[in-house]
Amino acid sequence: MAESDPTHNKTLIDGNVLAAMSLARFGVDHMFGVVGIPVTSFANRAVALGVRFIAFHNEQAAGYAASAFGYLTGCPGVLLTVSGPGCVHGLAGLSNAMINAWPMVLISGSCDQNDVGRGDFQELDQIEAVKPFSKFSVKVKHVSEIPDSVARVLHWASSGRPGGCYLDLPSDVLHQTISDSEAEALLAAAESSIKREETPIPNPPVSDIEQTVSLLRNAKRPLVVFGKGAAFSRAESELKKLVETTGIPFLPTPMGKGLLPDTHELAATAARSLAIGKCDVALVVGARLNWLLHFGEPPKWSKDVKFILVDISKDEIELRKPSVGLVGDAKRVLERINKAIKDDPFCFGKSYPWVEEVAKKVKDNVARMEVQLAKVVVPFNFYTPLRIIRDAILELGSPAPILVSEGANTMDVGRAVLVQTEPRTRLDAGTWGTMGVGLGYCIAAAVASPGRLVIAVEGDSAFGFSAIEVETLVRYQLPVVVIVFNNGGVYGGDRRSPEEIDGPYKDDPAPTSLIPGAAYHTVIEAFGGKGYLVGTPEELKSALSESFSARKPAVINVTIDPYAGSESGRLQHKN
């Protein structure tokens, strides 16, 4: 609200306007969320000041969108929720950002400060609730604190290892007023304060760079591993230079795929077990030695492997205890490694035994996969439709679409079949293995990269987490095609053994079952989008061709044999 104070001839603005001005002043151009008491006016004011607000049905999906937006753009994704349950729903996105190390800010309204402890509407100690998932949290106590608080949460979300931050805006603060001149002074002061708080990114000592180059030079079986931290750092050019100068094979983590093309002659993805099992020196850039990389331990890795870790977080390096730890930004550290190699170059060459061994294994495994993919299986297994989708995507050329992938078998098989050729074009369940991210990620990708088509390949169970957000796709007319692999449930419907089918509720559907043949394509049609039901190669090719050309919201419902997949995908040992 803006109003005039006749006694002093000043224009007064309220907390909603000041919060919106703060976001715009400090570089926020998109916000995701669900509005209601007490934040609706704040959202409207932000839109009026040039912040695009993408309104969702559910804070969980909006939070996933905000987290992915932070990853794709390098700027904090912002999620706006109401108080209490809205904030709790938003924790899904905040925690996802924290675990994946993506910059994000959750902003929630909260109850009037005078009514705390009295059972007010949607009352919750939200600062306490967000603690496990937030690097930095602040509750604004007075309207004059808004600019500094906004500046600090945005700053902390991106500084050091990126992650989630939280801003609490009580309803009484949003209705307090100050003069526009005072507001401008507060915004300028907050801007100056943040500039003073900026800490330099660590730079590893020369001796550690020299030791890194020495280990790589003298290795018998070196390997470069990189992950989404390298993608976030925009380190693709430096990685390309390193790999092609030295001839060292490389292995991306799932979301590192595309930083260098999967089709590159030094790509070891198709020989992953051999590469990590036999390498003696591994340079790991922007990837953590967590479950995705088998903790860097035997039996998957050699017991004698020497790790060189490049990470923005000193704590991460101290936790893993590598042979060499390089704390810093991946792009900058690789620049220094490349410069040191340029001063005294080395290259393993295509005929070097280790490079030949990896290349041969890749060739053999790819050939085996192609034999599998060449079979036309109807009713569809996972391979036949994924091969058709792969070929249709590759035909699009550059700019490559952004691929969103989730589901057990759908994601696992898809990772081996679908080809990434450009950086930051793959979004999946990530470090936390989060299901339900699909539609939120699609929406984030579409608004973060307006020139690209977005294609989701999802299991039917994963799609169901946020399927209603297809209405959001249609409302904003986003160029997103959602391909649902419909096999009737989690892993493929009822997989129980006879002895498991017992008890008074044995006639209920299995815990893994969904309605067979569900007409998911009609959901988007209810909102004016385009739906397709396909069960043969010809039908799928036609639907892909038409929807990719139209670049309009669409759902392709692909009927899959319910017995085609395996339980738990590649993590059967965990279930």
Side-chain angles (χ1 to χ4, degrees), residues 188-433:
E191 209 164 19
S192 301
S193 173
I194 285 306
K195 282 177 182 167
R196 288 195 300 273
E197 271 191 43
E198 285 176 1
T199 50
I201 294 170
N203 216 357
V206 173
S207 58
D208 286 351
I209 299 292
E210 289 173 347
Q211 190 182 355
T212 294
V213 174
S214 176
L215 280 169
L216 292 172
R217 184 193 308 276
N218 296 306
K220 298 285 189 289
R221 296 175 301 281
L223 181 68
V224 176
V225 179
F226 50 82
K228 60 182 180 292
F232 183 80
S233 177
R234 273 53 181 176
E236 52 267 21
S237 297
E238 289 70 26
L239 280 168
K240 184 175 190 290
K241 187 173 182 181
L242 172 68
V243 164
E244 294 182 353
T245 301
T246 62
I248 298 173
F250 68 85
L251 178 72
T253 65
M255 279 183 57
K257 279 163 64 72
L259 275 179
L260 297 179
D262 287 345
T263 50
H264 195 287
E265 62 182 355
L266 288 166
T269 305
R272 186 178 190 274
S273 296
L274 169 78
I276 67 174
K278 284 194 172 182
C279 73
D280 60 350
V281 174
L283 171 62
V284 182
V285 184
R288 287 169 276 180
L289 293 177
N290 54 22
W291 69 278
L292 284 163
L293 288 172
H294 315 288
F295 307 106
E297 295 173 349
K300 296 289 187 181
W301 295 83
S302 161
K303 62 180 173 56
D304 299 318
V305 64
K306 291 183 172 67
F307 284 109
I308 305 161
L309 297 191
V310 179
D311 201 285
I312 195 71
S313 167
K314 185 181 178 185
D315 291 345
E316 180 66 27
I317 284 172
E318 288 176 349
L319 171 68
R320 307 298 176 183
K321 298 179 175 58
S323 298
V324 182
L326 303 173
V327 181
D329 172 72
K331 181 181 174 76
R332 290 195 200 173
V333 172
L334 286 171
E335 282 172 352
R336 292 187 59 202
I337 292 171
N338 283 331
K339 185 175 184 307
I341 291 170
K342 184 182 178 183
D343 292 342
D344 187 6
F346 66 92
C347 183
F348 287 90
K350 291 180 186 177
S351 60
Y352 183 76
W354 168 241
V355 177
E356 277 194 334
E357 185 180 3
V358 172
K360 183 179 183 305
K361 189 67 172 175
V362 166
K363 188 178 177 183
D364 292 347
N365 286 347
V366 167
R368 261 201 299 276
M369 173 67 83
E370 288 303 321
V371 169
Q372 181 92 326
L373 292 171
K375 298 173 186 172
V376 178
V377 179
V378 180
F380 280 149
N381 60 7
F382 285 87
Y383 291 96
T384 297
L386 281 167
R387 189 252 306 156
I388 294 168
I389 293 165
R390 177 196 69 181
D391 294 348
I393 290 173
L394 288 173
E395 280 179 20
L396 294 172
S398 185
I402 295 176
L403 175 74
V404 176
S405 181
E406 65 170 337
N409 294 286
T410 308
M411 184 173 68
D412 290 340
V413 181
R415 187 171 47 251
V417 177
L418 300 173
V419 177
Q420 309 301 138
T421 57
E422 295 179 17
R424 292 167 295 283
T425 56
R426 178 184 171 85
L427 296 168
D428 63 23
T431 306
W432 228 11

Side-chain angles (χ1 to χ4, degrees), residues 398-568:
S398 185
I402 295 176
L403 175 74
V404 176
S405 181
E406 65 170 337
N409 294 286
T410 308
M411 184 173 68
D412 290 340
V413 181
R415 187 171 47 251
V417 177
L418 300 173
V419 177
Q420 309 301 138
T421 57
E422 295 179 17
R424 292 167 295 283
T425 56
R426 178 184 171 85
L427 296 168
D428 63 23
T431 306
W432 228 11
T434 313
M435 288 297 118
V437 295
L439 268 293
Y441 281 9
C442 285
I443 292 163
V447 299
S449 306
R452 293 185 191 262
L453 179 66
V454 180
I455 300 167
V457 182
E458 310 221 322
D460 50 356
S461 172
F463 175 66
F465 278 77
S466 55
I468 194 62
E469 301 299 347
V470 297
E471 187 275 338
T472 310
L473 297 181
V474 177
R475 190 170 5 115
Y476 291 97
Q477 282 298 295
L478 300 175
V480 176
V481 177
V482 181
I483 305 168
V484 181
F485 276 41
N486 184 355
N487 62 353
V490 183
Y491 315 130
D494 194 345
R495 297 295 184 87
R496 294 174 296 178
S497 61
E499 58 268 24
E500 288 178 308
I501 304 174
D502 204 354
Y505 303 107
K506 65 182 181 185
D507 294 327
D508 273 0
T512 52
S513 289
L514 299 172
I515 290 175
Y520 295 118
H521 57 292
T522 64
V523 178
I524 197 166
E525 290 175 343
F527 306 114
K530 181 69 175 172
Y532 302 85
L533 175 63
V534 305
T536 68
E538 293 72 27
E539 290 170 346
L540 178 56
K541 287 175 186 175
S542 173
L544 292 172
S545 175
E546 188 177 304
S547 61
F548 288 4
S549 296
R551 298 176 72 91
K552 298 282 188 185
V555 170
I556 302 175
N557 186 6
V558 184
T559 304
I560 303 288
D561 181 348
Y563 297 101
S566 60
E567 185 177 343
S568 307

